Amino acid sequence: MSQTLHPMLNIAIKAARAAGSIINRASLDLELLKINHKGPNDFVTEVDQAAEQVIIDTLLQAYPGHGILAEESGRSQGAKDSEFVWIIDPLDGTTNFIHGFPVYAVSIALAHRGVVQQAVVYDPSRNDLFYASKGRGAFLNDKRLRVSRRTRLSDALIGTGFPFRRGDNFKRYIKMFEEIMQSCAGVRRPGAAALDLCYVAAGYYDGFFETGLNPWDIAAGSLMITEAGGLIGNFTGESDYLYQREVVAGNAKVYAQLVQILAPYTRVIKADEAAAEAASAGAEATPEQALAASLGLDAAAEPAAPAAPKRGPVRIRKQD
């Protein structure tokens, strides 16, 4: 790498490559892999756990006062009250990995007071390193990244991720998928959101949308996109997407067209999650709610009109 990198980014790259080595070694003999179920269609392997631990050890050795938010161990390690929090997905695309399908990645982001400052996404099977520092651009290996220049959704290639957990509303997702599929040139679903977001930053995709994602799935990729000149937000075009479990991204023109399609769905997503929480707490849904849930609708709300974005995500200053 020719450019001088931020010291914290260098440590994140070191951690990502160490995790990638563990993942690559394990990929050579997947039959030996021990697999556990976190839930239906939601897997965790000993590789996820070993990769996560080497990342955390590397980061905390350099920055013992920093906090940690990691997929497998949550906030159990690191400082609890630090303004600096490392957001880690040690193996995004575990299901792909288990099957030998070579689309998975290590994702590491550093947030300061909730704003992502440093980001690394490492694809170990291709030895591709995506990285970004706030205000300093996004890169793939040594190549500066820029989002695509396509302006019409009808010409755009859009990435997505399918819902897969029990409780996800498949019928509602199919409606979104159908509407977007008929509006664009093609839809792709490789199965690792961290890489999908990097593909938007690189211009491979013109846009991306998904529901049900966690902060560790999107934190690093979100900085790649803004540093590559793109936009990322929730379905109504606002910038509070990290904990909203809905995300849409793209170049500015395609992003705006995706938001117009997806905005009406945001209320039914919230209703679904509220109903799921009520169900897990033992509350019974009314017949109207049950019917609405089966149809992918919000029983308590009138049909939502497409919402105009209240405030767009911040576009970060780009430097050449």
Side-chain angles (χ1 to χ4, degrees):
M1 279 168 245
S2 55
Q3 70 271 39
T4 304
L5 302 183
H6 191 285
M8 291 182 182
L9 183 60
N10 266 325
I11 292 296
I13 290 170
K14 179 183 176 183
R17 288 197 183 278
S21 295
I22 290 171
I23 293 164
N24 276 340
R25 281 198 301 273
S27 72
L28 299 176
D29 201 346
L30 291 171
E31 291 183 3
L32 296 177
L33 207 59
K34 293 177 184 173
I35 302 168
N36 295 312
H37 289 248
K38 290 193 280 187
N41 303 326
D42 199 1
F43 305 100
V44 60
T45 72
E46 57 192 340
V47 176
D48 294 71
Q49 292 160 340
E52 180 169 295
Q53 198 55 55
V54 77
I55 292 168
I56 292 171
D57 290 347
T58 303
L59 298 175
L60 291 183
Q61 185 177 0
Y63 302 106
H66 285 191
I68 298 289
L69 173 59
E71 178 171 15
E72 307 308 335
S73 59
R75 293 185 180 271
S76 63
Q77 300 182 66
K80 301 295 184 287
D81 54 356
S82 176
E83 292 183 345
F84 290 93
V85 177
W86 293 95
I87 306 173
I88 301 161
D89 192 339
L91 179 52
D92 184 34
T94 299
T95 303
N96 286 348
F97 174 75
I98 289 167
H99 289 83
F101 186 69
V103 182
Y104 43 80
V106 180
S107 178
I108 304 173
L110 175 64
H112 179 246
R113 296 183 178 179
V115 178
V116 178
Q117 304 280 342
Q118 312 293 336
V120 177
V121 175
Y122 179 52
D123 176 345
S125 61
R126 292 170 187 77
N127 194 25
D128 275 345
L129 186 75
F130 296 87
Y131 56 96
S133 290
K134 188 176 180 185
R136 298 181 66 178
F139 296 83
L140 167 54
N141 302 322
D142 269 336
K143 181 187 174 188
R144 179 75 182 260
L145 297 181
R146 296 286 190 193
V147 292
S148 77
R149 295 180 177 177
R150 289 186 184 86
T151 58
R152 294 188 301 184
L153 186 57
S154 58
D155 297 329
L157 184 65
I158 304 299
T160 190
F162 300 148
F164 62 91
R165 295 182 183 91
R166 181 177 291 167
D168 287 339
N169 192 316
F170 293 95
K171 289 186 173 70
R172 187 203 64 235
Y173 178 81
I174 291 300
K175 290 179 182 178
M176 288 192 292
F177 182 80
E178 181 181 19
E179 198 169 342
I180 286 178
M181 187 170 62
Q182 293 182 47
S183 304
C184 71
V187 178
R188 299 290 180 268
R189 196 280 186 196
L195 280 176
D196 285 326
L197 294 172
C198 290
Y199 292 171
V200 173
Y204 305 161
Y205 294 153
D206 305 293
F208 173 81
F209 75 100
E210 189 168 351
T211 62
L213 292 174
N214 291 299
W216 46 81
D217 298 311
I218 55 179
S222 68
L223 185 62
M224 307 290 178
I225 288 171
T226 54
E227 286 297 317
L231 295 171
I232 183 166
N234 62 24
F235 282 5
T236 52
E238 295 165 288
S239 57
D240 61 334
Y241 54 86
L242 204 57
Y243 294 91
Q244 293 296 313
R245 298 182 67 76
E246 60 180 49
V247 68
V248 57
N251 69 45
K253 295 286 188 183
V254 170
Y255 174 86
Q257 292 164 80
L258 288 174
V259 165
Q260 194 170 7
I261 292 172
L262 295 169
Y265 292 94
T266 192
R267 290 175 70 182
V268 292
I269 291 168
K270 300 297 181 288
D272 283 350
E273 291 179 349
E277 285 176 14
S280 65
E284 290 190 16
T286 66
E288 292 82 2
Q289 288 171 327
L291 176 61
S294 71
L295 296 173
L297 302 172
D298 178 0
E302 297 174 10
K310 295 175 189 172
R311 54 184 172 87
V314 176
R315 291 193 70 172
I316 298 173
R317 175 173 55 90
K318 302 186 291 293
Q319 295 179 349
D320 290 305

